[in-house]
Amino acid sequence: MKNLHNALQIRQLQLLKQLGYSYTDITPSELEVEAVDLPDSMETLKKTVSGCHLCELSKSRHKTVFGEGSEHATIMFIGEGPGATEDSTGRPFVGRAGELLTKMIENVLLIPRSEVYIANIVKCRPPGNRVPTESEAFTCRPYLLKQIEMIRPRIIVTLGATAYRYMTNDESPISRVRGNAIMTDHYTLIPTFHPSYLLRNPSAKKEAFVDMKKVKEMMTQSV
C-alpha cells in the first residue's frame, strides 16, 4: 500500500512539473505538530474558539473570526488575521480585501466563494491590524490545524507572508515563493500575495492571477 501511495505521489509530481510548477525545498508544518486535545466537531470547535482567552488578542477583540465556507471544500484559503470589518462581523475577508478575494475565487477558479473554506492564522484582530506576534500565532495555530484536519482540503492557498510562514515554518519572502507548489502527505500548498497587498500594489495582481490559474489547473488534476 505504501508503494502504491509513493507511486501516486510521484505521478502527481510529474503531472505538476508538466504544468510548469516549481517546488520549494522546505518541510511544511504537518497536522500532527501540535498535539492539543480539541473537539472533533466544527461547531464545538467554534464555541471553544469564541471562549478562548489564551493570548493578549482576546482582550481587545469584539468577535472571534473562526472561518467560514464549505466543510468539505477542496480548496482552503488562509490569511493573516481579521481586520476591523471582520472583527465587527465575526466573518473572514468581508472588507475590501475580502471583495477582491471573492472576485479571485469566482472569476479565476470559476466557483462560488461558498465552495471554498476561508480562515486565518489568528482568530482575533491584532490591534491596529499589526502582524501577529509569534506567541499569538503559535498559540492560535492548533485551532487552524484542527480545522484543516476536519476539512481535509486537497489544496491550501496561503495569502501573504504571515500565513505562508506559519504554515511552513519558512521565512522566505513571499515574492520569492509565490506560485510554488509545496507537496505534503495531506495537501498541496500554494502561496500567493494577500489581497490587501494587491489593493496597495495593483501591478502585482498580474502575478496573483498567474498563481490562481495554477490553482485552477491543480483543481482539474485533483478531480
Side-chain angles (χ1 to χ4, degrees), residues 23 130 138:
Y23 298 88
R130 63 165 172 76
F138 284 120

Side-chain angles (χ1 to χ4, degrees), residues 20 57 65 77 88 102-103 129 132-133 137 152 182 190 196 199 209:
L57 295 183
V65 182
F77 288 85
S88 64
T102 300
K103 289 179 180 177
N129 290 346
T133 65
R152 301 181 67 182
I182 301 168
I190 295 186
S196 293
L199 290 173
F209 176 78

Side-chain angles (χ1 to χ4, degrees), residues 170-183:
D170 177 41
E171 298 186 33
S172 298
I174 190 67
S175 57
R176 183 192 304 166
V177 298
R178 52 144 290 271
N180 290 349
I182 301 168
M183 305 292 293

Side-chain angles (χ1 to χ4, degrees), residues 5-32:
H5 173 77
N6 290 340
L8 291 172
Q9 286 283 79
I10 292 170
R11 174 157 177 75
Q12 177 74 350
L13 286 168
Q14 289 172 336
L15 288 170
L16 292 172
K17 186 176 181 180
Q18 291 171 7
L19 289 170
Y21 291 104
S22 56
Y23 298 88
T24 302
D25 185 18
I26 62 170
T27 303
S29 301
E30 297 293 348
L31 301 184
E32 299 82 11

